[in-house]
Amino acid sequence: MKKLSYLFFSCILVLGVSCKENANSNTNEVVTSKLINKSDIERIEPPNWWIGFENDSLQLLVKHKNIGNYTPSISYRGVSIEKVSKGNNSNNYLFIDLVISESASPGTFNISFKNDNGDELIDVYQLKERVKPAEDYIGFNSSDAIYLITPDRFANANPDNDTPIAMEGQEGLLEKTVDRNDNYARHGGDIEGIINHLEYINDLGFTAVWPQPMLINDMKEGSYHGYAITDLYKIDPRFGTLGEYQKLSQKAKEKGMKLIMDQVANHCGLEHWWMKDLPFKDWVSLQENYEKNIDNWDWKSTINSNHRRTTNQDIYASQYDKDGNSQGWFVATMPDLNQRNPFMAKYIIQNSIWWIETAQLDGIRQDTYPYPDKAFMSNWAGAIMTEYPNFSIVGEEWSYNPLLIGYWQEGANNRDGYDSNLRSPMDFAMQQKVVEAFNEEESWDKGLVKIYEGLANDFHYAKPKDIMVFEGNHDMSRIFTQLKGDVVNTKMAVATYAMMPRILQMYYGTEILMDDFDKPGDHGLIRTDYPGGWEGDTVNAFTGQGLTEDQKNMQSFVKTLLNYRKHSKAIHDGKTVHFAPFMGTYFLFRSLGEETVVMIINKNEKPITIDLKRYAEIGLDGKTLTNIITGDSFTWKDDIDLNEKGVLILTTKAN
Ligand code: CA
């Protein structure tokens, strides 16, 4: 997340713990005397847990007025209280460390809280059975093409949830307006809208969806993007319900697609419920500064991050700069979570695991990876990968420097010994190189050589094909805008990303050449409404109605390319060989077994003929190849005529 993508914000609500509905259905409870189908406690998190994890410990956050005066007890076979801790900043919290042993069965039990006056409060807690074995959570990999969606801006299937007032009781949510004419207001897109168009996404050849965060952002304004979370256990009602989120996951699976959850360990929204009653003196970074200025809190009172992310690797970095990066707040409306507090650290790790189980996730995208405490991030990713060995996590490091990208990948040979446990960093460097390659005139050190030398950097990476490359995202100008509105260049760029030994990610709307020419780089504009997502839209990209010829052509190109990629083992896992740019062309080969896929980029406006002898080592001589876009066949012999600027993708695989 880039700094500018966040603007202001704000609080929250009641707990509707679903486990209580099931309290009476318990059959495994052993000794609890009086099971009550209600909770006396304001909030217990995680709201439920499961049996059968590698890690048998669980730490409950209990929030209730003066709960610090109470002593908890549990009587349930296999569950024991190891330790009870109070917050040092508020008497309204208890942290209960539980051990859930192998003898524990799924079921519900009472947690009883008693004080010296003989008062008793009771909460019903549930341990569920896990839905499937841990190793069956299969993450994304280089066979996947991921569709990134800004949920507020994709499709509004349910106008009834647009206005939060009716839904959250008398006060409603803090941001009252829904206004499609304001790029920084809510527009009404929702989970149901994504579900309704999963078939469209699937048909385009994508195999996974990554929606920006859908947890509640009950902020005063600018909450549409999702990165200012105010309750880490609640879906934003403007996007839908927990049930709808689970349905999205289920419907995606039915189509063979994966769901990736966007999570934020670095910060929360200023209106997060705990900001008004912080449990510890160091729950958030620079808390003293915040509490001193709380009544007049604004950007002037904030100590922001210095955004000097290289301090994570810089062997000369001062402690001052290191702290400035990791402890400063991202922006005034996004308090920096202090993962050095062990209770906060556990809270974040358990929250991630809770969502993986609850929503049957196939992957996590972690925001702002170089901003949290980096030792914590390694522990966080490690804890998840220990529970789910085949899972995938991609971390956002906005750096154009392959040294830094490589540092964050699991298996990197880092001189400081840092092991991130992170399978997939993001390839901002390659995103930029490809754009340069097509915007620049060809010369010795400009143009296509940027791709050639960009890929040459792969020698540095522990596992290049586990890195996620992308043509664009919600924080940068649309690729069509970056490439100055050149359709052919946009096609060539998209093909280049898709053919690399990488996981591929694209941003919704690239397939119809969405742009931000009116105000390049403006975040609200980049995240434009998808045409056809709203009733009454005159253009409908889902049906093709009202699209220009260029748009239809691009949509069809992406669809053909990605559907080929979906089944191409050579692109997923094949050997990569490329040749230095030559006469304004660039040849990239991906091969596995009998399948060789050739990408030929040609920047020449006028027809040229390329002698194929220089590519002899690939062994294609005499073979018949098929153009995956047009279906035309071509016999690989002496030379190839390239009659127009553009990309050719040829395969030895028969159609
Ligand atoms: Ca809606």
Side-chain angles (χ1 to χ4, degrees):
M1 252 295 118
K2 231 178 169 181
K3 189 178 176 185
L4 285 178
S5 67
Y6 301 118
L7 295 174
F8 332 95
F9 314 92
S10 254
C11 164
I12 200 65
L13 358 150
V14 288
L15 168 93
V17 186
S18 60
C19 64
K20 305 213 168 55
E21 294 158 18
N22 300 326
N24 288 332
S25 64
N26 167 45
T27 52
N28 295 289
E29 189 221 354
V30 180
V31 256
T32 306
S33 53
K34 47 174 184 178
L35 190 65
I36 299 174
N37 190 18
K38 75 176 183 66
S39 176
D40 299 328
I41 303 293
E42 185 186 327
R43 186 183 285 273
I44 293 192
E45 290 176 347
N48 67 275
W49 203 243
W50 293 263
I51 57 163
F53 283 120
E54 289 289 315
N55 181 353
D56 64 2
S57 66
L58 171 67
Q59 185 174 79
L60 300 178
L61 176 154
V62 182
K63 166 96 189 326
H64 194 82
K65 193 169 169 49
N66 288 322
I67 197 71
N69 300 339
Y70 288 72
T71 303
S73 64
I74 291 172
S75 185
Y76 188 72
R77 190 175 63 200
V79 177
S80 56
I81 295 179
E82 288 294 293
K83 193 178 161 200
V84 178
S85 311
K86 298 180 185 187
N88 62 11
N89 197 50
S90 166
N91 195 39
N92 301 326
Y93 291 88
L94 279 182
F95 293 82
I96 309 176
D97 284 300
L98 301 178
V99 169
I100 300 163
S101 75
E102 282 180 16
S103 65
S105 303
T108 49
F109 55 85
N110 287 347
I111 307 176
S112 160
F113 301 84
K114 287 183 179 155
N115 68 7
D116 291 345
N117 300 332
D119 302 326
E120 185 181 22
L121 301 168
I122 289 182
D123 188 87
V124 181
Y125 200 76
Q126 184 179 23
L127 289 178
K128 295 182 178 179
E129 187 146 28
R130 296 176 69 185
V131 173
K132 63 184 180 194
E135 57 272 20
D136 289 358
Y137 288 78
I138 311 289
F140 49 84
N141 55 46
S142 53
S143 73
D144 284 299
I146 299 163
Y147 197 63
L148 165 61
I149 293 169
T150 302
D152 182 56
R153 306 294 167 85
F154 188 62
N156 185 8
N158 183 4
D160 291 343
N161 64 16
D162 294 0
T163 313
I165 297 164
M167 301 178 355
E168 291 296 335
Q170 294 176 337
E171 290 181 21
L173 300 182
L174 293 171
E175 187 174 5
K176 308 293 184 195
T177 51
V178 177
D179 181 2
R180 288 186 72 196
N181 295 315
D182 177 351
N183 278 337
Y184 290 88
R186 292 265 175 176
H187 289 191
D190 46 41
I191 296 169
E192 200 69 39
I194 300 173
I195 293 173
N196 289 355
H197 297 294
L198 274 178
E199 188 49 44
Y200 169 76
I201 299 166
N202 185 38
D203 196 46
L204 280 172
F206 289 97
T207 60
V209 287
W210 153 25
Q212 282 176 242
M214 298 204 278
L215 299 185
I216 188 163
N217 279 221
D218 191 9
M219 300 290 283
K220 287 170 186 157
E221 52 190 337
S223 69
Y224 73 98
H225 54 64
Y227 292 98
I229 297 165
T230 54
D231 185 334
L232 285 150
Y233 283 98
K234 189 173 173 62
I235 296 291
D236 198 304
R238 288 161 290 197
F239 292 141
T241 62
L242 174 61
E244 284 170 325
Y245 187 59
Q246 290 168 314
K247 183 177 161 195
L248 170 63
S249 176
Q250 181 59 33
K251 292 287 176 193
K253 278 178 189 55
E254 286 170 14
K255 295 182 187 302
M257 298 172 76
K258 297 165 185 173
L259 175 65
I260 300 167
M261 184 175 185
D262 200 337
Q263 299 191 346
V264 191
N266 182 62
H267 51 258
C268 62
L270 186 64
E271 303 293 339
H272 191 288
W273 57 263
W274 59 39
M275 292 306 293
K276 292 182 174 58
D277 183 11
L278 290 156
F280 288 93
K281 292 185 193 307
D282 62 350
W283 192 244
V284 299
S285 302
L286 305 170
Q287 190 166 315
E288 222 176 85
N289 177 59
Y290 169 68
E291 288 178 334
K292 195 172 71 194
N293 296 297
I294 194 166
D295 294 331
N296 297 299
W297 186 252
D298 62 13
W299 61 272
K300 289 185 296 245
S301 26
T302 313
I303 301 169
N304 282 126
S305 171
N306 61 18
H307 298 278
R308 293 299 174 195
R309 301 185 292 271
T310 52
T311 52
N312 284 300
Q313 294 85 11
D314 183 354
I315 57 174
Y316 308 124
S318 60
Q319 193 58 45
Y320 178 84
D321 287 347
K322 285 171 188 264
D323 292 349
N325 178 60
S326 74
Q327 293 175 35
W329 288 25
F330 203 78
V331 288
T333 52
M334 294 181 180
D336 189 79
L337 303 178
N338 179 20
Q339 305 89 5
R340 290 174 191 80
N341 178 311
F343 297 93
M344 172 61 86
K346 277 212 175 76
Y347 185 92
I348 297 170
I349 290 169
Q350 291 179 169
N351 179 256
S352 291
I353 290 172
W354 190 87
W355 280 109
I356 294 171
E357 286 288 327
T358 298
Q360 296 290 296
L361 299 177
D362 305 295
I364 290 173
R365 178 267 185 185
Q366 181 60 253
D367 193 46
T368 51
Y369 216 81
Y371 288 87
D373 179 68
K374 75 177 191 184
F376 164 75
M377 288 315 290
S378 171
N379 294 340
W380 172 81
I384 292 170
M385 298 310 288
T386 298
E387 297 296 347
Y388 307 94
N390 301 317
F391 200 68
S392 297
I393 304 170
V394 57
E396 181 206 30
E397 156 71 290
W398 191 307
S399 172
Y400 299 116
N401 182 352
L403 297 178
L404 302 191
I405 296 169
Y407 178 90
W408 292 111
Q409 189 174 32
E410 177 185 48
N413 185 21
N414 293 324
R415 66 190 286 176
D416 65 0
Y418 186 72
D419 184 358
S420 68
N421 293 311
L422 177 71
R423 195 165 278 174
S424 301
M426 285 186 187
D427 204 344
F428 280 82
M430 190 60 80
Q431 195 281 335
Q432 186 187 52
K433 292 294 173 199
V434 172
V435 169
E436 288 172 359
F438 292 108
N439 277 338
E440 292 171 357
E441 292 290 322
E442 288 300 296
S443 69
W444 170 254
D445 59 355
K446 294 219 162 38
L448 294 172
V449 71
K450 294 292 178 69
I451 300 170
Y452 183 69
E453 293 189 348
L455 268 180
N457 286 328
D458 278 16
F459 79 90
H460 170 64
Y461 298 133
K463 211 167 174 193
K465 72 173 187 170
D466 281 352
I467 298 173
M468 178 188 285
V469 76
F470 52 94
E471 46 74 29
N473 65 31
H474 54 297
D475 290 330
M476 59 170 61
S477 235
R478 290 278 182 174
I479 186 81
F480 189 51
T481 301
Q482 290 189 40
L483 293 169
K484 302 171 183 169
D486 187 315
V487 179
V488 177
N489 280 348
T490 304
K491 281 185 182 173
M492 289 200 284
V494 166
T496 304
Y497 297 117
M499 285 289 296
M500 288 180 170
R502 293 285 189 277
I503 301 162
L504 177 68
Q505 175 250 298
M506 292 178 62
Y507 191 35
Y508 80 102
T510 292
E511 73 276 13
I512 51 160
L513 302 168
M514 275 167 64
D515 68 74
D516 52 309
F517 287 121
D518 285 350
K519 223 175 165 185
D522 181 81
H523 281 146
L525 183 59
I526 291 164
R527 307 156 184 178
T528 296
D529 293 353
Y530 197 78
W534 277 254
E535 205 175 325
D537 283 358
T538 50
V539 175
N540 187 335
F542 300 116
T543 63
Q545 176 199 323
L547 292 180
T548 66
E549 283 310 305
D550 276 347
Q551 288 179 309
K552 284 183 192 165
N553 198 272
M554 183 70 189
Q555 198 179 33
S556 161
F557 175 80
V558 167
K559 181 176 165 176
T560 309
L561 174 67
L562 295 190
N563 276 289
Y564 183 84
R565 190 188 190 280
K566 188 194 272 189
H567 303 290
S568 171
K569 296 265 188 290
I571 300 178
H572 304 164
D573 298 313
K575 180 182 168 189
T576 305
V577 178
H578 64 163
F579 291 76
F582 176 69
M583 290 176 64
T585 69
Y586 170 70
F587 284 56
L588 173 81
F589 298 82
R590 305 293 315 280
S591 310
L592 189 73
E594 292 301 301
E595 183 193 16
T596 295
V597 188
V598 190
M599 178 180 73
I600 305 172
I601 297 285
N602 172 32
K603 285 175 75 176
N604 296 285
E605 306 279 353
K606 291 180 182 160
I608 57 159
T609 299
I610 300 286
D611 186 337
L612 293 178
K613 273 202 291 292
R614 66 198 306 264
Y615 311 101
E617 70 189 79
I618 307 297
L620 291 176
D621 197 39
K623 289 195 175 161
T624 300
L625 289 87
T626 306
N627 181 322
I628 70 159
I629 304 294
T630 63
D632 296 343
S633 57
F634 170 78
T635 304
W636 192 276
K637 282 194 298 198
D638 302 337
D639 47 40
I640 186 167
D641 295 327
L642 302 173
N643 294 323
E644 57 186 4
K645 182 179 156 184
V647 58
L648 282 180
I649 300 169
L650 308 174
T651 176
T652 56
K653 207 161 83 174
N655 267 346

mmCIF file of all heavy atoms in Angstrom, residues 169-187:
data_model
loop_
_atom_site.group_PDB
_atom_site.id
_atom_site.type_symbol
_atom_site.label_atom_id
_atom_site.label_comp_id
_atom_site.label_asym_id
_atom_site.label_seq_id
_atom_site.Cartn_x
_atom_site.Cartn_y
_atom_site.Cartn_z
ATOM 1 N N GLY A 169 -28.061 -0.806 13.499
ATOM 2 C CA GLY A 169 -28.758 -0.269 14.645
ATOM 3 C C GLY A 169 -28.905 1.233 14.539
ATOM 4 O O GLY A 169 -28.781 1.806 13.474
ATOM 5 N N GLN A 170 -29.140 1.873 15.649
ATOM 6 C CA GLN A 170 -29.516 3.280 15.632
ATOM 7 C C GLN A 170 -28.414 4.193 15.118
ATOM 8 O O GLN A 170 -28.664 5.135 14.395
ATOM 9 C CB GLN A 170 -29.926 3.697 17.035
ATOM 10 C CG GLN A 170 -31.196 2.993 17.472
ATOM 11 C CD GLN A 170 -31.564 3.332 18.890
ATOM 12 O OE1 GLN A 170 -30.729 3.729 19.692
ATOM 13 N NE2 GLN A 170 -32.837 3.160 19.219
ATOM 14 N N GLU A 171 -27.199 3.905 15.493
ATOM 15 C CA GLU A 171 -26.140 4.837 15.133
ATOM 16 C C GLU A 171 -25.633 4.624 13.715
ATOM 17 O O GLU A 171 -25.218 5.559 13.057
ATOM 18 C CB GLU A 171 -24.979 4.714 16.114
ATOM 19 C CG GLU A 171 -25.343 5.254 17.480
ATOM 20 C CD GLU A 171 -24.179 5.163 18.442
ATOM 21 O OE1 GLU A 171 -23.042 5.064 17.976
ATOM 22 O OE2 GLU A 171 -24.434 5.176 19.638
ATOM 23 N N GLY A 172 -25.645 3.431 13.256
ATOM 24 C CA GLY A 172 -25.133 3.153 11.923
ATOM 25 C C GLY A 172 -23.634 3.273 11.881
ATOM 26 O O GLY A 172 -22.968 3.484 12.886
ATOM 27 N N LEU A 173 -23.086 3.149 10.692
ATOM 28 C CA LEU A 173 -21.647 3.281 10.521
ATOM 29 C C LEU A 173 -21.291 4.759 10.367
ATOM 30 O O LEU A 173 -22.137 5.596 10.073
ATOM 31 C CB LEU A 173 -21.188 2.474 9.310
ATOM 32 C CG LEU A 173 -21.479 0.972 9.380
ATOM 33 C CD1 LEU A 173 -20.945 0.264 8.141
ATOM 34 C CD2 LEU A 173 -20.909 0.345 10.633
ATOM 35 N N LEU A 174 -20.018 5.068 10.532
ATOM 36 C CA LEU A 174 -19.609 6.470 10.582
ATOM 37 C C LEU A 174 -19.683 7.162 9.224
ATOM 38 O O LEU A 174 -19.997 8.336 9.132
ATOM 39 C CB LEU A 174 -18.195 6.569 11.144
ATOM 40 C CG LEU A 174 -18.086 6.157 12.619
ATOM 41 C CD1 LEU A 174 -16.629 6.074 13.050
ATOM 42 C CD2 LEU A 174 -18.857 7.123 13.515
ATOM 43 N N GLU A 175 -19.352 6.445 8.172
ATOM 44 C CA GLU A 175 -19.431 7.059 6.850
ATOM 45 C C GLU A 175 -20.823 6.820 6.286
ATOM 46 O O GLU A 175 -21.210 5.690 6.006
ATOM 47 C CB GLU A 175 -18.357 6.472 5.917
ATOM 48 C CG GLU A 175 -18.277 7.198 4.596
ATOM 49 C CD GLU A 175 -17.106 6.721 3.726
ATOM 50 O OE1 GLU A 175 -16.413 5.769 4.108
ATOM 51 O OE2 GLU A 175 -16.903 7.328 2.660
ATOM 52 N N LYS A 176 -21.547 7.894 6.103
ATOM 53 C CA LYS A 176 -22.963 7.759 5.764
ATOM 54 C C LYS A 176 -23.224 7.730 4.264
ATOM 55 O O LYS A 176 -24.254 7.254 3.818
ATOM 56 C CB LYS A 176 -23.758 8.935 6.353
ATOM 57 C CG LYS A 176 -23.533 9.177 7.842
ATOM 58 C CD LYS A 176 -24.091 8.044 8.686
ATOM 59 C CE LYS A 176 -23.944 8.361 10.171
ATOM 60 N NZ LYS A 176 -24.152 7.149 10.994
ATOM 61 N N THR A 177 -22.318 8.308 3.479
ATOM 62 C CA THR A 177 -22.656 8.515 2.078
ATOM 63 C C THR A 177 -22.273 7.348 1.178
ATOM 64 O O THR A 177 -21.287 6.666 1.399
ATOM 65 C CB THR A 177 -21.952 9.767 1.528
ATOM 66 O OG1 THR A 177 -20.570 9.659 1.841
ATOM 67 C CG2 THR A 177 -22.538 11.022 2.115
ATOM 68 N N VAL A 178 -23.087 7.157 0.168
ATOM 69 C CA VAL A 178 -22.767 6.280 -0.954
ATOM 70 C C VAL A 178 -22.916 7.159 -2.179
ATOM 71 O O VAL A 178 -23.981 7.703 -2.428
ATOM 72 C CB VAL A 178 -23.751 5.097 -1.036
ATOM 73 C CG1 VAL A 178 -23.444 4.238 -2.243
ATOM 74 C CG2 VAL A 178 -23.698 4.292 0.238
ATOM 75 N N ASP A 179 -21.824 7.367 -2.900
ATOM 76 C CA ASP A 179 -21.879 8.332 -3.993
ATOM 77 C C ASP A 179 -20.931 7.917 -5.110
ATOM 78 O O ASP A 179 -19.718 8.069 -5.002
ATOM 79 C CB ASP A 179 -21.497 9.716 -3.463
ATOM 80 C CG ASP A 179 -21.562 10.781 -4.552
ATOM 81 O OD1 ASP A 179 -21.945 10.445 -5.702
ATOM 82 O OD2 ASP A 179 -21.230 11.943 -4.253
ATOM 83 N N ARG A 180 -21.489 7.417 -6.178
ATOM 84 C CA ARG A 180 -20.658 6.943 -7.295
ATOM 85 C C ARG A 180 -19.970 8.073 -8.043
ATOM 86 O O ARG A 180 -19.078 7.824 -8.845
ATOM 87 C CB ARG A 180 -21.506 6.122 -8.272
ATOM 88 C CG ARG A 180 -21.889 4.771 -7.729
ATOM 89 C CD ARG A 180 -22.605 3.966 -8.797
ATOM 90 N NE ARG A 180 -21.710 3.521 -9.850
ATOM 91 C CZ ARG A 180 -22.120 3.081 -11.034
ATOM 92 N NH1 ARG A 180 -23.413 3.047 -11.310
ATOM 93 N NH2 ARG A 180 -21.251 2.684 -11.946
ATOM 94 N N ASN A 181 -20.395 9.317 -7.783
ATOM 95 C CA ASN A 181 -19.729 10.436 -8.450
ATOM 96 C C ASN A 181 -18.497 10.911 -7.699
ATOM 97 O O ASN A 181 -17.767 11.782 -8.173
ATOM 98 C CB ASN A 181 -20.709 11.606 -8.619
ATOM 99 C CG ASN A 181 -21.839 11.225 -9.548
ATOM 100 O OD1 ASN A 181 -21.596 10.638 -10.607
ATOM 101 N ND2 ASN A 181 -23.069 11.513 -9.141
ATOM 102 N N ASP A 182 -18.291 10.353 -6.509
ATOM 103 C CA ASP A 182 -17.135 10.736 -5.705
ATOM 104 C C ASP A 182 -16.179 9.539 -5.658
ATOM 105 O O ASP A 182 -16.508 8.488 -5.115
ATOM 106 C CB ASP A 182 -17.613 11.113 -4.287
ATOM 107 C CG ASP A 182 -16.454 11.462 -3.363
ATOM 108 O OD1 ASP A 182 -15.281 11.259 -3.745
ATOM 109 O OD2 ASP A 182 -16.735 11.927 -2.241
ATOM 110 N N ASN A 183 -15.007 9.721 -6.226
ATOM 111 C CA ASN A 183 -14.056 8.612 -6.326
ATOM 112 C C ASN A 183 -13.517 8.135 -4.987
ATOM 113 O O ASN A 183 -12.851 7.104 -4.920
ATOM 114 C CB ASN A 183 -12.875 9.011 -7.218
ATOM 115 C CG ASN A 183 -13.205 8.862 -8.683
ATOM 116 O OD1 ASN A 183 -14.091 8.095 -9.045
ATOM 117 N ND2 ASN A 183 -12.507 9.595 -9.530
ATOM 118 N N TYR A 184 -13.743 8.920 -3.938
ATOM 119 C CA TYR A 184 -13.245 8.511 -2.620
ATOM 120 C C TYR A 184 -14.368 8.113 -1.668
ATOM 121 O O TYR A 184 -14.137 7.859 -0.501
ATOM 122 C CB TYR A 184 -12.346 9.607 -2.029
ATOM 123 C CG TYR A 184 -11.045 9.675 -2.800
ATOM 124 C CD1 TYR A 184 -10.918 10.472 -3.931
ATOM 125 C CD2 TYR A 184 -9.977 8.863 -2.440
ATOM 126 C CE1 TYR A 184 -9.750 10.481 -4.683
ATOM 127 C CE2 TYR A 184 -8.799 8.858 -3.179
ATOM 128 C CZ TYR A 184 -8.693 9.669 -4.295
ATOM 129 O OH TYR A 184 -7.535 9.660 -5.027
ATOM 130 N N ALA A 185 -15.598 8.060 -2.198
ATOM 131 C CA ALA A 185 -16.741 7.612 -1.402
ATOM 132 C C ALA A 185 -16.999 6.131 -1.682
ATOM 133 O O ALA A 185 -16.426 5.545 -2.595
ATOM 134 C CB ALA A 185 -17.974 8.432 -1.751
ATOM 135 N N ARG A 186 -17.866 5.546 -0.887
ATOM 136 C CA ARG A 186 -18.327 4.183 -1.171
ATOM 137 C C ARG A 186 -19.202 4.190 -2.425
ATOM 138 O O ARG A 186 -19.991 5.102 -2.632
ATOM 139 C CB ARG A 186 -19.153 3.673 0.019
ATOM 140 C CG ARG A 186 -18.341 3.435 1.280
ATOM 141 C CD ARG A 186 -17.928 1.990 1.388
ATOM 142 N NE ARG A 186 -17.045 1.797 2.546
ATOM 143 C CZ ARG A 186 -16.593 0.611 2.934
ATOM 144 N NH1 ARG A 186 -16.943 -0.484 2.278
ATOM 145 N NH2 ARG A 186 -15.791 0.503 3.970
ATOM 146 N N HIS A 187 -19.044 3.139 -3.228
ATOM 147 C CA HIS A 187 -19.866 3.034 -4.433
ATOM 148 C C HIS A 187 -20.874 1.890 -4.368
ATOM 149 O O HIS A 187 -21.744 1.806 -5.225
ATOM 150 C CB HIS A 187 -18.971 2.858 -5.669
ATOM 151 C CG HIS A 187 -18.214 4.105 -6.034
ATOM 152 N ND1 HIS A 187 -17.539 4.249 -7.213
ATOM 153 C CD2 HIS A 187 -18.030 5.276 -5.350
ATOM 154 C CE1 HIS A 187 -16.959 5.454 -7.257
ATOM 155 N NE2 HIS A 187 -17.235 6.084 -6.133
#
